[in-house]
Amino acid sequence: MESPFEVLRLDADADEEELEQAYRARVKEAHPDQGGSVEEFQTVRRAYEKIKAGYSPNGTSPAQEDTDDEPRAEPQDETRRQRDRQQDESDAKQDVRTSSEVTYLNYDVLSDFGWRTDDEDLFRKAAKADLDEVDFGRFVVEPGQSLLEAAEERGFEWPFACRGGACANCAIMLLDGELSMPASHVLSSELMEQGIRLSCNGVPITEELNVVYNVKHMPELEDLLLPPDPFEHAYSD
């Protein structure tokens, strides 16, 4: 099993900036929409999170390295490495089958509170604002299920029109986590960089996601919308 540094193709003494650059490069390569796979993407993300949490090549955290004066016996090191490898392999298998917990926020309420999507505290503020369930909350997406399907299954009326990736009526803004979106005929690379995704065919591939839904009202999406009649009729029926 590769170490987190090997997964990110990163030297063990790399600094924070080098870590971020390596992660951005590897996560793009590993993304299912770029020719990678769910397993590879999750391995890269997990490696990044381990290094950020203080992983070191010898299997100890920085705090442990500072306080452990006595050298560790080699058999113990090997046992620990074997245990870590087994845990990593187990995690990888579980991640492929795991469900995703989605925390959602309705774009419509941002103007009411003067909130911005680039505010790092946005979801903490929303959690304290006593919003209705339609505007803020959580639900679980089962493996292989699209974001829109999961929302509808739980009784939420999220907007959509074509259900085929040909419009932006169902668009969401992804603020944390990732999903695989196999077909999009409308989103430009600039919109993708902003975190805009389609909920109709977007399938979560991380354990947690933070999304702002109903972003079809954003000015830059105006030319990508279809008439709302199909959406309105579908829910009224």
Side-chain angles (χ1 to χ4, degrees):
M1 174 69 80
E2 293 179 302
S3 76
F5 288 97
E6 290 172 331
V7 171
L8 295 184
R9 300 169 189 163
L10 189 67
D11 292 334
D13 59 353
D15 60 24
E16 186 77 16
E17 182 177 353
E18 291 171 326
L19 170 61
E20 296 296 333
Q21 291 175 347
Y23 174 65
R24 285 196 295 269
R26 286 290 288 121
V27 83
K28 288 180 180 179
E29 294 175 355
H31 198 285
D33 298 345
Q34 301 299 321
S37 66
V38 173
E39 294 90 338
E40 184 183 8
F41 179 87
Q42 292 171 337
T43 297
V44 170
R45 186 176 176 90
R46 188 165 53 250
Y48 170 75
E49 291 172 348
K50 282 188 174 182
I51 296 175
K52 289 283 286 185
Y55 177 94
S56 64
N58 64 7
T60 63
S61 69
Q64 288 174 316
E65 292 174 351
D66 291 340
T67 58
D68 290 350
D69 296 325
E70 295 297 326
R72 297 181 183 273
E74 290 186 4
Q76 291 178 332
D77 287 342
E78 182 59 30
T79 299
R80 183 181 300 104
R81 283 193 289 269
Q82 290 177 350
R83 186 170 61 247
D84 289 344
R85 283 196 295 269
Q86 291 171 352
Q87 184 62 50
D88 286 344
E89 291 170 358
S90 176
D91 289 346
K93 292 177 182 178
Q94 292 175 1
D95 282 347
V96 175
R97 301 189 300 271
T98 192
S99 301
S100 298
E101 183 178 67
V102 176
T103 304
Y104 62 88
L105 177 63
N106 189 347
Y107 183 77
D108 278 350
V109 306
L110 268 63
S111 59
D112 296 338
F113 292 88
W115 293 341
R116 296 169 53 92
T117 56
D118 58 0
D119 184 349
E120 293 183 358
D121 293 326
L122 176 60
F123 277 73
R124 282 193 287 271
K125 292 177 179 177
K128 297 178 181 179
D130 193 27
L131 296 171
D132 291 338
E133 187 179 30
V134 69
D135 293 324
F136 179 77
R138 293 181 178 84
F139 61 82
V140 173
V141 183
E142 300 301 333
Q145 193 174 37
S146 78
L147 198 56
L148 180 60
E149 288 172 340
E152 291 177 333
E153 188 174 282
R154 277 116 189 119
F156 298 118
E157 298 183 356
W158 285 19
F160 72 89
C162 72
R163 288 187 181 271
C167 72
N169 292 53
C170 70
I172 57 99
M173 178 175 285
L174 189 64
L175 298 185
D176 188 42
E178 188 55 275
L179 50 77
S180 176
M181 195 178 63
S184 170
H185 310 298
V186 296
L187 297 184
S188 65
S189 57
E190 290 79 8
L191 289 172
M192 294 286 288
E193 285 291 329
Q194 292 180 43
I196 302 299
R197 301 288 190 274
L198 303 181
S199 65
C200 71
N201 59 8
V203 178
I205 55 175
T206 52
E207 292 183 358
E208 297 180 354
L209 287 85
N210 286 351
V211 306
V212 177
Y213 82 97
N214 206 23
V215 299
K216 66 176 184 175
H217 300 299
M218 294 175 63
E220 50 266 58
L221 297 179
E222 183 177 358
D223 293 336
L224 306 178
L225 301 179
L226 288 177
D229 288 350
F231 158 63
E232 293 172 349
H233 289 163
Y235 283 133
S236 63
D237 292 342

